[in-house]
Amino acid sequence: MTALVGDIGGTNARFALWRNQKIESVRVLPTVDYPRPEDAIRAYLQGTGQSVDALQAVCLACAGPVSGDEFAFTNNHWRLSRKAFCEDLGLSDLLLVNDFTAMALGMTRLREGELIEVCPGRSEPGAARLVIGPGTGLGVATLLPLPDGGWRALPGEGGHVCLPIGTSREAALWARLHDKFGHVNAEAILSGGGLLELYRTSCVLDGKQPSLATPAEVTAAALTGDAYASSVLEQFCVWLGRIAGDNVLTTGSRGGVYIAGGIVPRFVEFFIRSGFSQSFRDKGCMSRYFDEIPVWVVTADYPGLEGAGVALQQLLEGPSSGG
């Protein structure tokens, strides 16, 4: 079978061919460069010398809740109709999955050297695992082990839960964010744009003139010794710990936590030294619940694409084909 798999976020669309249960010919295309996903796929196929007619299946992992015929991407301008998409590309069917469903399934394909330990521990047999990752947005999914050795991913929109407050400083930041946005969700801070928002809001709170203009500048300044930028990045890590811990309590993910997405791998050493671990387990009477839960940062290049391939394979063969 020759299939096309895609992992489409707010900023980039990643495409690959899925053959013999492996991804090939990976390309990354900016979503802003194309009016529709169909146009990006045609450009990808042309660039890899493939014909649309050669495709036997397509699976797209998309940021946002997936249901029905129409799909609107959460963090970019694309919209998609399954029926129109198939008619345009001459396909019989299109498999759409949530992007973090694919990311979760991608965890079943990780290779040696693609995980960095943040919190040591021991995976509880048969327990769920949490997959969470800041990127253009904040993705969250749960990975469930099956009795036959396969895996099932449970999609969700955990990035849109309420941002928790654990200190008076966080309460003050939250109040500023609430004045600006109304509802303050986790993604408002735990994303690329959220890091910049956290920096700007912190500056307003502290009466400081902002001098950094992008998330990359905030991160770079923090890593090169800027004390204020470091404090902002530290708060980002602490808030990620609070949200990850809340999700573990909700889903019972004592099998472990994968920190995925494109942001945290850029500052892994800082992240390991940060207050993430403490805030992750800072749950009052339930703090001991976290004593043996391992946490890893995922450094694999294309786990979402791998997971889209696994989702397609599961559709054809059943959940036990997930790795």
Side-chain angles (χ1 to χ4, degrees), residues 74-75 98-100 130-141 155-164 183-191 240 243-244 247:
T74 301
N75 291 314
N98 175 265
D99 63 332
F100 255 70
L130 176 70
V131 186
I132 184 169
T136 303
L138 176 66
V140 183
E157 291 297 326
H160 296 274
V161 301
C162 297
L163 186 70
H183 174 64
V184 184
N185 62 19
E187 187 174 273
I189 292 300
L190 298 176
S191 59
L240 181 55
I243 287 290
N247 275 278

Side-chain angles (χ1 to χ4, degrees), residues 206-250:
D206 297 329
K208 181 179 176 65
Q209 185 65 33
S211 60
L212 306 173
T214 67
E217 288 182 15
V218 176
T219 301
L223 298 182
T224 53
D226 183 300
Y228 195 78
S230 293
S231 70
V232 171
L233 193 60
E234 169 70 15
Q235 180 62 67
F236 180 94
C237 296
V238 166
W239 246 322
L240 181 55
R242 295 200 195 288
I243 287 290
D246 285 351
N247 275 278
V248 165
L249 288 176
T250 300

Side-chain angles (χ1 to χ4, degrees), residues 38 42 81-93:
E38 294 93 325
R42 289 186 186 279
S81 159
R82 294 178 198 248
K83 181 180 178 181
F85 181 95
C86 291
E87 289 175 352
D88 191 336
L89 296 179
L91 299 168
S92 60
D93 196 16

